[in-house]
Amino acid sequence: MNKHDLVQKAAEAMQKAYVPYSNFSVGAAVMTSSGHIYTGCNIENAAYPVTCCAERVAIFKAISEGFTDFKQLAVIANTERPVPPCGSCRQVMSEFFAPETEILLANGNKDVTALKMEELLPYSFEANDMSHET
């Protein structure tokens, strides 16, 4: 599967977004190392803090099916520039993605920017940071 195919899967997921408050639809597609594809869309709630982003929906769907080894993620929205994930999504991604995992950022024109996880969130908070040893 090439990067445009994964972006297309994300664009299809974007059509299912539940966004009655912001009208800002986002779609995501994550590919596991074994080639399985999981998609997600953003799902809003009147209580904004419980809203869930497309990237996390896709990742959590994959994890709930037993996949925790990821190869690539694509995210798309109808934005001027290729849409970047929010900070919460970046932190979740850093928990499950290797530093070299490719992240494809896209917009409605299908402009694509490819970054590695380590470029998207350098110096991320990790499990090792919770060590009580000094």
Side-chain angles (χ1 to χ4, degrees):
M1 174 173 282
N2 68 41
K3 69 181 180 180
H4 296 291
D5 293 335
L6 196 62
V7 169
Q8 182 58 40
K9 293 282 188 191
E12 291 167 11
M14 183 175 68
Q15 301 306 312
K16 298 175 183 164
Y18 177 76
V19 291
Y21 308 105
S22 71
N23 293 313
F24 183 72
S25 298
V26 181
V30 64
M31 182 190 312
T32 68
S33 293
S34 60
H36 288 83
I37 306 292
Y38 289 89
T39 61
C41 59
N42 54 326
I43 303 166
E44 294 181 344
N45 190 284
Y48 263 40
V50 296
T51 292
C52 197
C53 298
E55 300 92 311
R56 286 181 281 149
V57 170
I59 293 166
F60 294 163
K61 282 171 65 175
I63 292 168
S64 73
E65 295 294 324
F67 295 96
T68 57
D69 190 21
F70 299 100
K71 180 178 179 179
Q72 196 175 42
L73 178 132
V75 59
I76 188 170
N78 288 319
T79 51
E80 184 75 20
R81 66 180 180 154
V83 67
C86 74
S88 295
C89 288
R90 291 176 195 216
Q91 184 59 43
V92 167
M93 291 160 64
S94 75
E95 180 79 14
F96 296 101
F97 291 6
E100 65 278 359
T101 302
E102 186 175 50
I103 315 298
L104 304 172
L105 313 178
N107 63 12
N109 296 328
K110 303 276 175 59
D111 298 323
V112 177
T113 297
L115 298 171
K116 301 293 183 197
M117 184 64 226
E118 63 190 352
E119 296 173 301
L120 190 62
L121 185 60
Y123 202 66
S124 64
F125 184 79
E126 299 173 350
N128 294 346
D129 294 321
M130 293 189 292
S131 172
H132 297 289
E133 298 178 20
T134 56

